[in-house]
Amino acid sequence: YDAPRAIPKPGGFDLVFVTWGALCWLPDLAGWARIVAGFLRHGGRLYLAEGHPAALVFDDEAETPDGKRGWGWFAPYFQREALVLDNPIDYADPAARLKNACTHEWMHPLSEVLGALGEAGLALDWLHEHPRVTWQMFRCLVRDPDGLFTWPDRPWLPLAYSLSARKGTGASVRG
């Protein structure tokens, strides 16, 4: 949200690149989309790659009724309030322990992302859903030959999505 103060070139960029785990930290997706659009020149493009919200509702380390760890629900797809999480594990270094472990994160359904971009004046070029992701989202995922994580037997749920949207090139998408 502070980018307009930190970057003194609004409206002049050809590309804004946003990737992997950025949106969950943002409570105001419409405000974020307006900022992105404000940095793009006419015809400039947003590229976004993100974890798929349909997969993010699951947790493979949930406490099961018998007190063990297994598949369960992480958060509802349409959760509007912040998820307040207390997890001392650092995803970049699982052996490290964080001193400040409490985070506030938000679920953003695909329709909310597309709606925010459309309201900000960006037109969708394309949207792709992917059965692979750059991090081990679930313990059961395996590395493929490209080094990405995917389902072990066959894809059954998207793990990620990517999209491209342009500023000022026609009708925008409404979520």
Side-chain angles (χ1 to χ4, degrees), residues 31-63:
W32 164 80
R34 286 190 300 273
I35 291 167
V36 167
F39 276 101
L40 292 170
R41 67 166 176 75
H42 183 81
R45 178 167 67 95
L46 164 68
Y47 176 81
L48 171 66
E50 189 59 272
H52 201 294
L56 295 174
V57 302
F58 295 106
D59 182 358
D60 67 341
E61 294 187 31
E63 187 170 332

Side-chain angles (χ1 to χ4, degrees), residues 90-107:
D90 181 354
Y91 69 87
D93 180 1
R97 292 299 172 259
L98 303 173
K99 290 181 182 177
N100 299 309
C102 184
T103 63
H104 292 74
E105 301 176 25
W106 286 265
M107 293 287 290

